[in-house]
Amino acid sequence: MDRPHYILLPVSPLFIAVTVIVAFMLNLLPWGGMPGVPDFLALVLIVWSINQPRKVGIGIAFSMGLLMDVHNASLLGQHALAYTLLSYFAIMIHRRVLWFSVLTQALHVLPLLVVMQTVELVIQSMVSGKLPGWSFYASSVTAALIWPLVSWLFLAPQRRAVNRDETRPI
């Protein structure tokens, strides 16, 4: 418990928009069907739903889910439902998760990602009648493993210096 507690500066809405767009573009790349590649958009939605629940919430998650449905040519609403539930559950636990270290936060993020993928799995199996197997959940494990890096990168512009410098206004 010797780690410093940062008071974060307000986040720029432009920074949030850029991170969501970049994550969406990463999901558009052709590696999305390979096992073990995380859903970058889901990861970014979790980061902002936990850290900025008033700015990124269920509405943005639903909209981005519809865009992913259109891109994947999947059943309209499949990703929208999964991302909406993901954002809802992330907002529900956001106060609790922020008290933990980044590694412990990854353990809280993993069930959120598994629930999201289970919703997608159930919808896909109802439509196609096929089950993809356990490798389907490899992307959730990969996303939880890179959670500390993503969380650190996204919150880095908001951190103040631990030791206050008299020449800095903030």
Side-chain angles (χ1 to χ4, degrees), residues 73-128:
S74 59
L75 184 65
L76 191 63
Q78 171 183 338
H79 284 92
L81 175 64
Y83 287 165
T84 302
L85 289 174
L86 176 76
S87 181
Y88 174 74
F89 289 132
I91 291 170
M92 281 197 46
I93 66 169
H94 85 275
R95 289 182 186 250
R96 180 179 347 147
V97 170
L98 292 175
W99 282 97
F100 295 116
S101 69
V102 181
L103 295 174
T104 310
Q105 287 178 8
L107 294 176
H108 284 81
V109 167
L110 181 62
L112 295 175
L113 293 164
V114 168
V115 165
M116 181 202 70
Q117 281 202 302
T118 303
V119 167
E120 289 179 358
L121 176 78
V122 167
I123 293 172
Q124 285 177 3
S125 65
M126 287 172 54
V127 171
S128 67

Side-chain angles (χ1 to χ4, degrees), residues 2-24:
D2 291 339
R3 63 186 171 98
H5 292 282
Y6 292 101
I7 297 175
L8 299 177
L9 296 169
V11 64
S12 167
L14 180 64
F15 182 67
I16 292 175
V18 166
T19 57
V20 170
I21 290 169
V22 167
F24 179 69

Side-chain angles (χ1 to χ4, degrees), residues 9-10 15-16 25 36 41 58 62 71 81 87 93 101 121-122 128 137 141 145 150-151 155 159 162 165:
L9 296 169
F15 182 67
I16 292 175
M25 294 298 196
L41 186 56
I58 296 172
F62 182 78
H71 170 263
L81 175 64
S87 181
I93 66 169
S101 69
L121 176 78
V122 167
S128 67
Y137 289 107
V141 174
L145 288 174
V150 171
S151 179
L155 297 180
R159 287 195 179 92
V162 176
D165 185 11

Side-chain angles (χ1 to χ4, degrees), residues 1-73:
M1 286 280 154
D2 291 339
R3 63 186 171 98
H5 292 282
Y6 292 101
I7 297 175
L8 299 177
L9 296 169
V11 64
S12 167
L14 180 64
F15 182 67
I16 292 175
V18 166
T19 57
V20 170
I21 290 169
V22 167
F24 179 69
M25 294 298 196
L26 285 172
N27 275 4
L28 296 183
L29 292 175
W31 64 27
M34 296 181 345
V37 176
D39 188 349
F40 293 104
L41 186 56
L43 198 58
V44 168
L45 287 173
I46 291 174
V47 168
W48 291 127
S49 292
I50 287 176
N51 291 299
Q52 297 292 327
R54 291 184 181 192
K55 293 186 179 180
V56 175
I58 296 172
I60 291 176
F62 182 78
S63 302
M64 296 309 294
L66 285 178
L67 287 174
M68 282 302 298
D69 287 333
V70 169
H71 170 263
N72 290 345

